[in-house]
């Protein structure tokens, strides 16, 4: 690069963002330099901003939902070229621990996440291992490309459940990951039921995505509603994205016999499970973390076919310019009304 400096947004400490010049990353063998085109803010970024992300290391360039364009390659490979547009797989696994040897990369003992443990995407350039890139086809623009990652997280969770056509899936928690799981579950032919405590979130999902079965878990007839929607059998699968211990602990009493539960949201503490409810159903319980390259590829395929429309998730768009600190602060203050914020680079 002729210019060795770039602008980057650092989260110095909770509630303290700073836009400053820093060095453009220098590539090691096997790495690719990406000109960032778009970044979507994630719940991880928001929690780190509020000082509630236990794994986050300050100071850090945040952002891991990234699309961009290859400008430099220092890797022996034939699939990618300078000028290709890509989505970034932000989970850097070690490749040699027991989990990596089992190809369960999201459980890597030494997993590093872009924007959490190392420099993220809210900068003009980012370097990434070549194996952590997925090429975007021409019919997927940069904004949709930045949403491939959260949808891949959702896909990974749905695939854990391996739903069959017409299976009843209850998805609890209507944030972007939960809603993404709902959209992906529909591509498997599942019957989707949604639940969230927030009336604002329930209204958003009902109106923008035209879901009919959006329930309040605190409703006195919640269990009755689930029974009516599943012919008395209760949901075959429950995917919980809330990160709430109360929600996660209560899943089993709403589950069908022989059913599956997938935990996606993370609760920082102990869970107390009613073992009778768990055992008598012969429950299959899964934890879902990160996503595989095949999940990214499935999302890209679904977007290309029009089965999933990431643009429907976007509520706010910001430009990466001198006002970015002020504008992100304003978005952080909006709460749930800012469902998905996209930051666009010129």
């Amino acid at each position: 690069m002729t210019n060795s400096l770039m602008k980057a947004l650092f989260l110095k400490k909770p509630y303290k963002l700073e836009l400053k010049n820093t060095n453009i990353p220098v590539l090691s063998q096997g790495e690719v330099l990406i000109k960032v085109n778009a970044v979507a803010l994630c719940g991880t970024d928001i929690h780190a901003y509020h000082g509630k992300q236990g794994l986050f290391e300050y100071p850090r360039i945040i952002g891991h939902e990234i699309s961009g364009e290859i400008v430099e390659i220092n890797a022996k490979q034939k699939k990618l070229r300078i000028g290709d547009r890509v989505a970034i797989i932000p989970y850097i696994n070690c490749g040699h621990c027991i989990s990596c040897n089992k190809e369960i990369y999201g459980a890597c003992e030494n997993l590093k996440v872009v924007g959490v443990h190392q420099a993220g995407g809210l900068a003009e350039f980012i370097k990434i291992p070549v194996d952590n890139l997925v090429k975007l086809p021409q019919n997927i623009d940069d904004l949709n490309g930045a949403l491939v990652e959260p949808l891949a997280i959702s896909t990974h969770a749905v695939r854990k459940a391996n739903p069959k056509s017409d299976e009843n899936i209850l998805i609890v928690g209507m944030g972007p990951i939960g809603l993404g799981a709902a959209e992906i579950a529909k591509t498997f032919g599942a019957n989707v039921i949604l639940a969230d405590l927030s009336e604002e979130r329930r209204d958003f999902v009902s109106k923008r995505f035209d879901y009919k079965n959006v329930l309040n878990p605190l409703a006195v007839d919640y269990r009755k509603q689930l029974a009516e929607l599943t012919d008395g059998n209760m949901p075959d699968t429950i995917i919980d994205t809330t990160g709430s211990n109360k929600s996660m602990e209560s899943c089993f009493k709403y589950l069908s016999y022989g059913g599956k539960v997938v935990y996606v949201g993370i609760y920082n503490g102990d869970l107390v499970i009613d073992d009778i409810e768990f055992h008598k159903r012969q429950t299959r319980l899964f934890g879902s973390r990160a996503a595989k390259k095949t999940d990214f590829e499935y999302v890209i395929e679904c977007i290309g076919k029009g089965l999933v429309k990431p643009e429907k998730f976007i509520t706010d768009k910001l430009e990466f310019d001198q006002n970015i600190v002020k504008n992100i602060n304003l978005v952080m203050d909006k709460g749930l009304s800012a469902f998905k914020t996209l930051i666009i680079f010129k």
Side-chain angles (χ1 to χ4, degrees), residues 247-262:
S247 177
M248 295 164 75
E249 291 168 355
S250 70
C251 283
F252 307 102
K253 64 182 179 181
Y254 300 118
L255 183 68
S256 71
Y257 281 73
K260 297 162 282 186
V261 172
V262 182

Side-chain angles (χ1 to χ4, degrees), residues 220-235:
V220 293
D221 62 342
Y222 179 55
R223 182 181 179 84
K224 180 181 178 182
Q225 291 179 69
L226 289 174
E228 289 175 348
L229 291 169
T230 58
D231 295 325
N233 294 318
M234 306 302 285

Side-chain angles (χ1 to χ4, degrees), residues 180-191:
E183 294 290 278
I184 293 297
K186 289 196 300 184
T187 72
F188 283 74
N191 301 317

Side-chain angles (χ1 to χ4, degrees), residues 230-295:
T230 58
D231 295 325
N233 294 318
M234 306 302 285
D236 301 290
T237 293
I238 298 176
I239 298 177
D240 193 299
T241 70
T242 65
S244 161
N245 61 320
K246 292 182 179 180
S247 177
M248 295 164 75
E249 291 168 355
S250 70
C251 283
F252 307 102
K253 64 182 179 181
Y254 300 118
L255 183 68
S256 71
Y257 281 73
K260 297 162 282 186
V261 172
V262 182
Y263 286 157
V264 187
I266 299 172
Y267 174 67
N268 186 22
D270 296 332
L271 296 176
V272 179
I273 292 173
D274 185 327
D275 189 47
I276 296 297
E277 298 292 346
F278 177 86
H279 258 92
K280 69 184 183 180
R281 288 168 172 76
Q282 197 161 311
T283 307
R284 287 161 285 174
L285 175 62
F286 302 90
S288 183
R289 185 188 184 198
K292 292 184 175 182
K293 180 174 281 190
T294 51
D295 299 317

Side-chain angles (χ1 to χ4, degrees), residues 10-17 41-64 114-117 122 328-329 332:
F10 287 82
L11 182 57
K12 306 286 286 187
K13 60 183 181 179
Y15 303 102
K16 179 62 176 178
L17 292 163
L41 287 183
C42 171
T44 297
D45 305 315
I46 296 169
H47 293 150
Y49 176 86
H50 292 287
K52 297 180 180 179
Q53 221 296 335
L55 299 175
F56 194 83
E57 299 172 0
Y58 302 90
R60 181 70 62 215
I61 301 173
I62 60 175
H64 63 267
V114 169
V116 177
H117 308 104
L122 280 177
I328 285 184
N329 286 334
M332 293 294 186

